Amino acid sequence: MTDKIPVTVLTGYLGAGKTTLLNRILTEQHGRRYAVIVNEFGEIGIDNDLVVGADEEIFEMNNGCICCTVRGDLIRIIEGLLKRRGKFDAIIVETTGVADPAPVAQTFFVDQDVKEAARLDAVVTLADAKFLAQRLADAPEAKNQIAFADVIVLNKTDLVTREELAEVEGRIRAINPYATLHHAVKADVPIAAVLERNAFDLDRILEIEPRFLEAEDHDHHDHDHGHHHHEHEHEHDHECGPDCGHDHHHEQEHHAHAHHNDHGHGLKHYHDEEMGSVSILHEGELDPNVFVPWLNEFVQREGADILRCKGIVAFTDEPKRFVFQGVHMILDGDLQRDWRPDEKRSARLVFIGRKLKEEAIRESFETEVLRRK
Ligand SMILES: Nc1nc2c(ncn2[C@@H]2O[C@H](COP(=O)(O)OP(=O)(O)OP(=O)(O)O)[C@@H](O)[C@H]2O)c(=O)[nH]1
């Protein structure tokens, strides 16, 4: 999987700072070559005369289910790019400010040629520190973009007070507690914090989740718990051992956390009425012949409301970790690196979506996966 070209989907509401970030990526000296596909799906960044225009073309998948769509124009552009492999190291797709990122992300799971050559590295969402709270209230796209994110750049922090920043961050965390979050002015995040992150974001779930699950009021759904210290913050300060399996981005990641004060202290604990997340931790192995059909059936049934799902699972008698991610009903998973001796073989699943029925999800997992092991 490592020789697949990483694709970053860059999203964020109108004016949040996507172009500012893109310009930084394209002008900074980092020794990497990025092919960039922008808004109306023209293409910039590798060769100035290679701008490919396309009409908007969206195909429905899964028998017309409205949540599963892919972009034909994007597939064609990517296929064109893939013919020129070797001229660039990674691809960035910038979506329009009001677009739902799902059809873009799903493209990388569905089209066979694209899937074989490229992989979705991360959805990076730019958020405007000053206006996001308003947009979350009046623009469903803005909420979707936060829910989809693997990485959130909370930009324009120069325009708000510390209190306002903590407020907007609390709102973001109510929707998506799992994304890595960076504060920024003029999108000044380290490039490695947003691009070519590999499976690092999934691994972070393993690192932070045990503490997060234990956080006392995580399961309470009241509106405001006052000042709530997310306990997992301190996890970022851990040092890697000699046989650390983290990739080289980790150093910079660590650095970025220190300077950007990742989750912020004293965040208010909000519950979003509409969007939220459910995570499941099972200490132990699962039978792939039970788990995989369950997962497939579950996202087929509930996928319209599940925006993202991800997980790392230990299968019986399988030395490698099974890693999956999905967008709505479309799933993609494979066996990746071996479980390390110091890692507890377990299953960790995260679902982010609209009006998720937490109890029903847990019960379905208990009765249909665990009891059938
Ligand atoms: N004060 C302040 N302004 C910023 C910051 N980042 C970007 N801007 C300005 O905000 C405006 C919008 O930024 P863009 O990067 O064009 O935003 P965008 O998300 O690409 O916008 P659309 O293409 O309309 O979706 C520009 O005038 C930027 O100069 C910031 O951190 N602070």
Side-chain angles (χ1 to χ4, degrees):
M1 100 154 228
T2 38
D3 56 358
K4 289 187 183 179
I5 293 171
V7 182
T8 304
V9 174
L10 188 60
T11 181
Y13 209 69
L14 295 172
K18 300 181 291 297
T19 309
T20 308
L21 178 61
L22 214 45
N23 283 338
R24 278 204 42 235
I25 293 168
L26 292 177
T27 52
E28 221 166 79
Q29 295 299 319
H30 39 59
R32 304 286 286 165
R33 292 162 308 167
Y34 294 105
V36 180
I37 301 169
V38 281
N39 277 356
E40 290 78 31
F41 294 137
E43 181 193 304
I44 57 166
I46 29 170
D47 246 317
N48 286 338
D49 55 352
L50 278 177
V51 177
V52 183
D55 298 327
E56 182 148 311
E57 213 188 285
I58 297 189
F59 298 124
E60 289 180 351
M61 308 290 298
N62 284 32
N63 306 323
C65 158
I66 48 150
C67 78
C68 294
T69 46
V70 291
R71 308 220 26 155
D73 46 3
L74 181 59
I75 290 174
R76 272 200 306 280
I77 290 171
I78 289 173
E79 284 176 348
L81 272 179
L82 293 174
K83 291 198 184 98
R84 287 170 284 148
R85 285 185 81 152
K87 288 197 173 179
F88 55 91
D89 304 299
I91 299 174
I92 303 168
V93 185
E94 188 203 325
T95 68
T96 59
V98 290
D100 179 351
V104 173
Q106 284 170 337
T107 302
F108 298 94
F109 298 111
V110 168
D111 183 81
Q112 207 51 39
D113 293 338
V114 171
K115 210 173 133 176
E116 273 166 25
R119 64 177 169 80
L120 179 64
D121 185 69
V123 176
V124 176
T125 300
L126 265 287
D128 182 326
K130 191 162 178 62
F131 291 116
L132 181 73
Q134 267 167 268
R135 294 295 82 80
L136 289 179
D138 65 21
E141 302 89 354
K143 204 177 261 191
N144 282 355
Q145 290 165 351
I146 296 295
F148 269 109
D150 300 298
V151 179
I152 295 170
V153 178
L154 186 50
N155 192 35
K156 305 199 185 183
T157 56
D158 56 319
L159 300 180
V160 294
T161 62
R162 283 174 74 99
E163 291 72 30
E164 287 170 322
L165 188 61
E167 167 78 17
V168 72
E169 204 172 317
R171 299 282 175 191
I172 289 173
R173 286 303 181 203
I175 297 167
N176 185 339
Y178 302 105
T180 319
L181 189 145
H182 301 279
H183 294 168
V185 175
K186 296 257 171 202
D188 62 343
V189 282
I191 303 280
V194 288
L195 298 183
E196 297 184 66
R197 303 182 45 79
N198 243 318
F200 188 73
D201 287 310
L202 271 175
D203 273 311
R204 275 186 83 255
I205 296 174
L206 272 172
E207 284 178 27
I208 67 174
E209 187 58 7
R211 302 290 291 276
F212 193 75
L213 283 171
E214 286 159 20
E216 268 174 33
D217 48 4
H218 183 54
D219 284 331
H220 291 253
H221 287 190
D222 302 339
H223 279 265
D224 187 346
H225 288 263
H227 290 273
H228 170 77
H229 288 265
H230 284 259
E231 300 204 26
H232 60 271
E233 282 160 25
H234 307 290
E235 288 289 292
H236 300 304
D237 292 334
H238 82 277
E239 294 296 331
C240 294
D243 47 4
C244 158
H246 291 142
D247 65 9
H248 61 281
H249 293 324
H250 188 260
E251 282 296 308
Q252 282 151 328
E253 177 65 19
H254 187 79
H255 186 73
H257 280 307
H259 286 269
H260 290 269
N261 183 23
D262 186 2
H263 299 300
H265 290 263
L267 288 189
K268 285 187 178 172
H269 192 64
Y270 287 109
H271 169 65
D272 191 278
E273 283 298 324
E274 191 193 15
M275 204 76 87
S277 61
V278 175
S279 64
I280 292 176
L281 165 64
H282 168 69
E283 305 271 5
E285 299 169 335
L286 298 179
D287 178 348
N289 299 319
V290 174
F291 175 72
V292 174
W294 173 80
L295 183 66
N296 270 316
E297 200 265 325
F298 177 68
V299 298
Q300 289 306 312
R301 199 173 63 226
E302 305 287 341
D305 290 328
I306 298 172
L307 275 68
R308 280 310 282 282
C309 66
K310 329 176 179 192
I312 301 177
V313 179
F315 284 148
T316 320
D317 300 326
E318 172 54 63
K320 293 192 184 306
R321 309 192 316 169
F322 177 73
V323 178
F324 72 89
Q325 61 163 322
V327 175
H328 287 305
M329 297 178 183
I330 296 169
L331 281 173
D332 189 33
D334 54 12
L335 292 168
Q336 297 187 359
R337 69 161 171 81
D338 283 5
W339 287 89
R340 289 196 299 267
D342 61 325
E343 286 174 329
K344 258 195 196 154
R345 291 172 65 88
S346 62
R348 256 170 226 291
L349 322 175
V350 173
F351 302 96
I352 296 177
R354 201 172 284 120
K355 297 198 184 297
L356 294 181
K357 301 173 211 93
E358 178 162 355
E359 285 316 310
I361 295 172
R362 289 188 191 289
E363 197 180 310
S364 168
F365 179 75
E366 298 264 327
T367 54
E368 289 162 54
V369 180
L370 296 187
R371 284 190 210 145
R372 289 216 203 135
K373 263 202 312 169

